[in-house]
């Protein structure tokens, strides 16, 4: 389990960069940013498989369908979540999109009639509480006026949480029959195709943005996508989808730390308490949810 802990930690640290980089890429629409992120990732994976002679073709129609389904919801996740950051604050966005464990638990119970371990349920609520403290602290506390724009961003983040929960659940089933590289090559590839379709339908331009924005989108593809999401996808073979989803709740913690490093934002007492709660809940969930 030490190896699993380490890989999950790498995933958390990697995806934590995403919100900061997305905020810096303010001139690029969410659907275009998602397209570049996924297309670049797919090109890198495709080139590697070609050079190494790795066969990534699914062995059955079921695997093909599951890969397409997983890719579709991953596309929806990125588009909605990236868009949410343009409407609401980084802490609110990452906290709300991290509520995916709630959706995973509900879907697991409603669809698969899967009983949830009491410690896992407790871990979910502790992690949500911790993430909420971080967001509450960053928002300034009480007395903040209602913001319609931010509320719309919050709804987009929640939809992103639902989409990524389906992505994790489908991926957990698919990972039982294929290895990590084949899985990410197929899923990222299908997700790139769906995102391109959404981008074309949106009417947004693919070019004409700041030069630095293209560099930021390359970073999104390499660090949060290839390193971060792939770490979580690898962990799906050893942990339940719910445990992996809970692990992503470490992202608000990482994002807060990076906000301090890059923007000089101090970590407040409530934030520190929230970080401790999130990490404790992740440790509990993983220790109680091993598939072995």
């Amino acid at each position: 389990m030490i190896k699993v802990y380490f890989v999950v930690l790498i995933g958390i640290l990697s995806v934590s960069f995403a919100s900061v980089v997305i905020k810096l890429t303010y001139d690029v629409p969410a659907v275009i940013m998602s397209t570049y992120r996924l297309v670049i990732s797919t090109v890198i994976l495709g080139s590697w498989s070609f050079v190494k002679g790795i066969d990534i073709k699914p062995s059955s129609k079921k695997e093909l369908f599951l890969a397409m389904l997983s890719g579709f919801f991953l596309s929806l996740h990125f588009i909605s979540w990236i868009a949410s950051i343009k409407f609401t604050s980084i802490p609110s966005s990452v906290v709300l999109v991290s509520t995916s464990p709630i959706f995973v638990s509900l879907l697991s119970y409603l669809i698969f009639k899967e009983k949830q371990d009491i410690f896992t349920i407790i871990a979910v609520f502790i992690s949500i509480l911790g993430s909420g403290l971080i967001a509450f602290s960053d928002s300034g506390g009480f007395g903040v006026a209602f913001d319609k724009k931010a509320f719309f961003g919050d709804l987009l983040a929640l939809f992103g949480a639902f989409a990524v929960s389906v992505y994790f659940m489908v991926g957990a089933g698919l990972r039982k029959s294929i290895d990590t590289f084949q899985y990410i090559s197929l899923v990222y590839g299908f997700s790139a195709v769906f995102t391109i379709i959404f981008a074309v339908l949106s009417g947004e331009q693919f070019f004409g943005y700041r030069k630095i924005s293209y560099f930021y989108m390359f970073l999104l593809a390499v660090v949060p996508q290839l390193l971060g999401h792939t770490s979580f996808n690898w962990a799906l073979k050893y942990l339940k989808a719910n445990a992996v989803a809970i692990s992503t709740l470490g992202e608000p913690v990482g994002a807060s730390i990076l906000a301090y490093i890059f923007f000089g934002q101090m970590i407040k007492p409530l934030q520190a308490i929230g970080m401790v709660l999130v990490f404790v809940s992740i440790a509990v969930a993983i220790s109680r949810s091993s598939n072995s």
Side-chain angles (χ1 to χ4, degrees):
M1 289 301 294
I2 294 178
K3 183 179 180 180
V4 177
Y5 273 108
F6 178 75
V7 172
V8 169
L9 177 61
I10 293 297
I12 292 172
L13 294 175
S14 299
V15 297
S16 295
F17 278 95
S19 57
V20 175
V21 176
I22 289 169
K23 202 73 171 179
L24 293 172
T25 320
Y26 56 82
D27 58 319
V28 183
V31 67
I32 299 299
M33 203 183 308
S34 302
T35 301
Y36 272 94
R37 174 176 181 165
L38 288 162
V39 168
I40 292 173
S41 301
T42 301
V43 169
I44 292 174
L45 291 173
S47 300
W48 182 260
S49 63
F50 177 78
V51 171
K52 294 295 183 177
I54 303 174
D55 185 10
I56 61 173
K57 292 184 296 183
S59 58
S60 67
K61 292 182 178 179
K62 179 181 178 180
E63 289 182 356
L64 177 63
F65 172 74
L66 290 177
M68 291 179 64
L69 185 63
S70 183
F72 175 73
F73 279 98
L74 181 61
S75 175
L76 292 180
H77 162 68
F78 282 136
I79 293 173
S80 56
W81 177 60
I82 290 176
S84 75
I85 294 180
K86 294 179 178 294
F87 289 96
T88 190
S89 66
I90 287 178
S92 294
S93 177
V94 279
V95 166
L96 290 172
V97 81
S98 296
T99 57
S100 56
I102 299 296
F103 291 105
V104 171
S105 296
L106 289 174
L107 292 173
S108 296
Y109 175 76
L110 294 174
I111 298 176
F112 302 110
K113 307 301 180 182
E114 180 180 298
K115 293 183 178 180
Q116 298 298 315
D117 181 274
I118 184 63
F119 290 99
T120 301
I121 295 174
I122 292 174
V124 169
F125 286 103
I126 291 177
S127 59
I128 295 298
L129 175 61
S131 298
L133 285 176
I134 295 172
F136 180 75
S137 177
D138 283 341
S139 66
F142 296 104
V144 179
F146 179 74
D147 188 333
K148 292 182 179 179
K149 181 179 178 181
F151 181 68
F152 178 65
D154 293 344
L155 291 179
L156 286 173
L158 281 172
F159 181 76
F162 167 77
V164 80
S165 67
V166 178
Y167 158 69
F168 277 134
M169 292 182 68
V170 175
L174 185 57
R175 280 288 284 116
K176 293 178 180 178
S177 59
I178 64 178
D179 62 32
T180 303
F181 186 82
Q182 184 183 14
Y183 172 80
I184 62 175
S185 297
L186 288 171
V187 174
Y188 295 176
F190 281 121
S191 187
V193 172
F194 284 121
T195 310
I196 290 173
I197 294 174
F198 290 138
V200 172
L201 293 176
S202 73
E204 299 287 359
Q205 299 297 316
F206 286 89
F207 306 101
Y209 304 105
R210 296 177 304 152
K211 292 181 180 179
I212 190 65
S213 293
Y214 293 100
F215 173 70
Y216 288 148
M217 289 187 285
F218 176 79
L219 286 181
L220 278 177
V222 174
V223 181
Q225 187 65 36
L226 289 179
L227 188 57
H229 273 260
T230 299
S231 296
F232 293 136
N233 289 326
W234 177 87
L236 283 173
K237 187 173 183 178
Y238 305 95
L239 303 171
K240 293 180 181 179
N242 195 44
V244 177
I246 291 173
S247 299
T248 64
L249 283 161
E251 184 176 355
V253 177
S256 297
I257 294 173
L258 290 174
Y260 170 74
I261 294 174
F262 287 98
F263 306 115
Q265 297 178 0
M266 298 296 293
I267 298 178
K268 303 173 185 178
L270 280 179
Q271 285 179 308
I273 295 173
M275 291 177 185
V276 172
L277 289 175
V278 169
F279 277 124
V280 168
S281 67
I282 290 173
V284 171
I286 292 179
S287 65
R288 301 292 299 187
S289 302
S290 174
N291 284 336
S292 59

